[in-house]
Amino acid sequence: MTEHMSETDVVVVGAGAAGIGAGLALDRLGVPFVILEAKTRIGGRAFTEELAPGLLFDHGCHWFHSAHQNPLRAIADRIAHRYDARPQPPRPVHLGARWADESERQEADDEIDAAFAAIYAAGEAGRDVAASTVLPPAGRFARLARHWIELMACFPPEAFSALDYARYRDGNADFPVADGYGRLIARLAAGLPIRCGTPVTGLAAMRDGVAITTPAGALRAKAAILTVPMSSYRDGRIALDPAPDPALAAAFDDVAMGLYEKVAILLDGNVLSDAETSFAEAFDESDPQALPVSFEVRPHGRPLIVAHVAGAALAQLRKAAPAALADHAVTRAKAAFGSSLAGRIREVRTTAFTDDPFIAGGYSLARPGRSAARLALIDAAIGTRILVAGEATHPHYMATCHGAYLTGLEAAAKAAVLAGREASPVIAEWVPAWAS
């Protein structure tokens, strides 16, 4: 861009799943647009890295959640993007010195299920309270249940609303994406007008359009769609004019982004070769201070172990030392898988969404007593021509890639009308023009 004002009909801010969804819809509707992305890559929290030839690792999104209702899963079918729809086997549990027997593993599953059932029951009863206040009495596997709550919520149960959590519609089918969820979003983005390395620093709504400010110059559009994390507005990285009304400004704070990171442990190709894709839980039952961790073991047959940590446990590790998360994952992996890993770890990689200023965490949930803030974000707008989209703005598929994608489609339909087009429906399973 040059320093003078250039024009298009719609500017989409952010090239994550919501921004790509908006771009695909605008393209199909024939509306001129551009997507501005601050990072040097697209995808946001949907990012697949090729660690070695053929060795794919999803830093963030990796599962088609609620797969039978997930439009991105349907699109994957149409463009031959592979995923694993097989039923997942029971997850073994390592207790620190040994693997749990079948009755212990079932006891752990039952305690985890009871914790989530209590949160859903409270939410369905309309109780806008901290999830921690409705949990059943702690049992033997309370730490493991808490760990799973933090993985699903990105927050400890004291910090999120049971009512907001219970709004999520779980389709009871979650399929890991073998060809990479980030790569799927990148494939859908092929050919869209995306300008990476172009952070937006300000948007000003006018009577007949929007002025967009970037370090590379300015644009004017008839409408804009904001798809970046709420922290960008709350912390002032993107100045908004007019300022959000008080209810919306409060919602930006009350629907907060939690913590979630992964550790990729790259293995010698011959290690654990009898496992294809399996999952395991690990915690030291003898040490009350030991933090649990969840493992994907050889996902899709690849020589890799992926450790998952979130919420308060992740915050504790991050506070301890820069390498504490990686050290914790490797220690628990060695304890669980023993001599098979001795000297066979090639490399350890840790994701860094929390420290990325353009992402700033995992995914969103409303604070206790603030579940109405989610409702304030749905159909939110700044003035009349700046629309807000992203996973935080979906009423039932928050915290998911497809939820973000759907909000982008919906915002694009509204932006097209603001750009002077007749109202037209958008189709969730639309594929890019190259795949039509």
Side-chain angles (χ1 to χ4, degrees), residues 153-231:
C154 273
F155 287 97
E158 293 80 10
F160 69 87
S161 162
L163 176 55
D164 189 53
Y165 188 92
R167 289 191 178 114
Y168 180 74
R169 292 179 179 170
D170 189 350
N172 295 314
D174 301 300
F175 300 157
V177 185
D179 284 342
Y181 215 148
R183 280 201 168 181
L184 174 62
I185 298 302
R187 289 184 69 188
L188 298 182
L192 298 182
I194 302 173
R195 301 180 188 178
C196 288
T198 309
V200 169
T201 56
L203 294 101
M206 301 172 288
R207 183 180 59 81
D208 58 351
V210 181
I212 300 96
T213 306
T214 82
L219 296 91
R220 179 166 176 160
K222 296 175 182 176
I225 303 173
L226 287 169
T227 72
V228 295
M230 303 295 156
S231 59

Side-chain angles (χ1 to χ4, degrees), residues 27 50 68 89 138 221 309 312 369 380 408:
D27 185 59
E50 190 167 20
H68 297 309
V309 183

Side-chain angles (χ1 to χ4, degrees), residues 227-259:
T227 72
V228 295
M230 303 295 156
S231 59
S232 298
Y233 327 132
R234 185 190 63 225
D235 299 340
R237 283 193 298 276
I238 298 179
L240 300 175
D241 182 13
D245 65 55
L248 185 55
F252 288 159
D253 186 59
D254 289 336
V255 180
M257 186 91 76
L259 303 180

Side-chain angles (χ1 to χ4, degrees), residues 26-37:
L26 292 167
D27 185 59
R28 292 294 290 260
L29 294 171
V31 179
F33 71 98
V34 65
I35 301 175
L36 303 181
E37 169 57 49

Side-chain angles (χ1 to χ4, degrees), residues 52-388:
L55 181 55
L56 303 182
F57 168 52
D58 273 322
H59 284 232
C61 316
H62 181 60
W63 298 71
F64 286 139
H65 292 298
S66 301
H68 297 309
Q69 296 83 40
N70 189 324
L72 292 172
R73 192 273 310 161
I75 292 171
D77 286 339
R78 296 175 64 183
I79 64 174
H81 199 85
R82 296 178 304 136
Y83 58 90
D84 188 353
R86 294 174 297 179
Q88 300 301 324
R91 296 170 178 257
V93 178
H94 193 264
L95 301 176
R98 64 178 179 85
W99 290 97
D101 62 29
E102 177 57 26
S103 64
E104 290 171 315
R105 187 202 59 76
Q106 187 61 56
E107 183 182 354
D109 282 351
D110 290 346
E111 192 161 346
I112 293 168
D113 289 346
F116 282 104
I119 294 172
Y120 267 100
E124 289 164 1
R127 298 182 63 189
D128 191 6
V129 297
S132 59
T133 66
V134 302
L135 295 178
R140 177 181 178 184
F141 295 100
R143 281 189 291 143
L144 196 57
R146 183 183 181 91
H147 164 72
W148 264 94
I149 291 169
E150 296 193 4
L151 287 182
M152 295 296 99
C154 273
F155 287 97
E158 293 80 10
F160 69 87
S161 162
L163 176 55
D164 189 53
Y165 188 92
R167 289 191 178 114
Y168 180 74
R169 292 179 179 170
D170 189 350
N172 295 314
D174 301 300
F175 300 157
V177 185
D179 284 342
Y181 215 148
R183 280 201 168 181
L184 174 62
I185 298 302
R187 289 184 69 188
L188 298 182
L192 298 182
I194 302 173
R195 301 180 188 178
C196 288
T198 309
V200 169
T201 56
L203 294 101
M206 301 172 288
R207 183 180 59 81
D208 58 351
V210 181
I212 300 96
T213 306
T214 82
L219 296 91
R220 179 166 176 160
K222 296 175 182 176
I225 303 173
L226 287 169
T227 72
V228 295
M230 303 295 156
S231 59
S232 298
Y233 327 132
R234 185 190 63 225
D235 299 340
R237 283 193 298 276
I238 298 179
L240 300 175
D241 182 13
D245 65 55
L248 185 55
F252 288 159
D253 186 59
D254 289 336
V255 180
M257 186 91 76
L259 303 180
Y260 197 129
E261 301 288 2
K262 300 179 186 179
V263 180
I265 304 171
L266 285 69
L267 304 174
D268 181 291
N270 295 321
V271 179
L272 305 175
S273 58
D274 58 333
E276 183 177 350
T277 298
S278 61
F279 305 88
E281 312 299 335
F283 79 111
D284 189 341
E285 191 174 30
S286 67
D287 181 0
Q289 303 304 314
L291 300 173
V293 62
S294 294
F295 291 115
E296 294 175 75
V297 184
R298 286 183 58 82
H300 314 290
R302 294 162 184 152
L304 189 67
I305 295 175
V306 180
H308 297 247
V309 183
L314 176 55
Q316 180 178 330
L317 289 166
R318 283 172 50 81
K319 185 177 180 180
L325 174 58
D327 291 344
H328 171 64
V330 171
T331 297
R332 293 264 61 86
K334 287 180 176 178
F337 304 110
S339 58
S340 297
L341 292 187
R344 310 301 291 273
I345 296 175
R346 295 167 47 198
E347 188 179 354
V348 179
R349 300 274 192 95
T350 303
T351 60
F353 288 129
T354 307
D355 294 322
D356 187 327
F358 301 113
I359 296 179
Y363 34 81
S364 69
L365 270 179
R367 304 183 194 279
R370 299 289 188 269
S371 70
R374 175 85 65 187
L375 306 181
L377 295 178
I378 299 168
D379 298 324
I382 311 296
T384 59
R385 292 184 174 267
I386 302 174
L387 307 173
V388 179

